[in-house]
Amino acid sequence: MTVPVGVLALQGDFEAHGAALARLGIDSRPVRTAEEVRASAGLVLPGGESTTMWKLMEGTGIAEAIVAVARRGDPLFVTCAGAILSARRITSPDRDGLGLLDATAVRNAYGRQLDSAVVTLTDLDRSVLGGEPLEAVFIRAPKLADLGPGVEVLARRNGDPVLVRDGNLVAATFHPELAADARVYDLVFGAAAARAA
Ligand code: GLN
């Protein structure tokens, strides 16, 4: 029996992540308490509304549990609002994040007109993702700024980093759970899936 990946299920797009993981043969379950978070073999922090997620986490110990899972080296996949929670700093409103992604998350950085879009990303780190363009769904996405020296940029949109890796954490400012492309999940959980097989 392998331990499932936990998908934080307080709010947001957690069901689609569960379905995407299932398509890849990766066992996951929704997690809603600090105990469930700690008992997971890796975590997904989904998109949604980061301000709501902070409110729902208050006083639950979930934030501390997420940090503990990250510190013990388990794979973390954080997307959109999840990437915002993970950042070192967050703007509008300004506050500290969990400090797992060495970057500042600039919330809603694309402005009203361009806030949601399906974009074909071609500026990719080919050694990691291969040469095929990556379809990416952006929904009121943040931008990542002030990247620390240990953060690798794996994909850019108009020069802005949209897929990055910081040690055992991979952050996407878009929504890989809404696209059919498995490459981004493989990046995070490929090794774990191979181990389980
Ligand atoms: N705009 C949202 C936030 O700031 C993130 C959007 C998303 O997760 N799709 O939390």
Side-chain angles (χ1 to χ4, degrees):
M1 266 268 301
T2 52
V3 179
V5 169
V7 182
L8 187 67
L10 299 175
Q11 188 268 341
D13 208 13
F14 54 89
E15 282 179 1
H17 274 287
L21 288 164
R23 281 199 299 275
L24 294 171
I26 297 168
D27 194 18
S28 77
R29 63 168 188 170
V31 291
R32 296 186 174 85
T33 66
E35 292 67 36
E36 289 172 352
V37 168
R38 273 178 212 273
S40 303
L43 288 174
V44 175
L45 307 184
E49 193 53 48
S50 56
T51 47
T52 308
M53 291 185 192
W54 285 122
K55 283 202 189 94
L56 293 170
M57 286 198 292
E58 237 168 63
T60 64
I62 290 174
E64 294 76 7
I66 293 169
V67 172
V69 172
R71 296 267 183 268
R72 73 182 184 218
D74 282 23
L76 253 74
F77 186 28
V78 301
T79 67
C80 209
I84 296 171
L85 299 182
S86 306
R88 179 170 26 79
R89 281 293 292 168
I90 301 166
T91 68
S92 61
D94 289 359
R95 60 166 295 162
D96 284 335
L98 296 175
L100 305 175
L101 167 60
D102 192 4
T104 299
V106 182
R107 295 183 61 227
N108 301 321
Y110 290 92
R112 271 218 170 149
Q113 241 62 138
L114 291 167
D115 68 355
S116 299
V118 183
V119 176
T120 304
L121 302 174
T122 53
D123 189 353
L124 308 176
D125 182 333
R126 279 157 197 268
S127 66
V128 177
L129 292 165
E132 285 298 306
L134 189 66
E135 291 285 305
V137 182
F138 289 86
I139 305 169
R140 302 189 67 224
K143 284 190 185 180
L144 299 175
D146 309 327
L147 299 190
V151 181
E152 290 169 81
V153 178
L154 304 179
R156 295 179 189 271
R157 171 185 177 186
N158 295 333
D160 293 316
V162 294
L163 179 66
V164 302
R165 180 159 58 189
D166 189 354
N168 55 324
L169 176 144
V170 172
T173 63
F174 54 94
H175 287 259
E177 77 281 9
L178 300 180
D181 200 313
R183 270 177 293 170
V184 182
Y185 282 92
D186 283 345
L187 196 64
V188 194
F189 296 112
R195 256 203 320 277

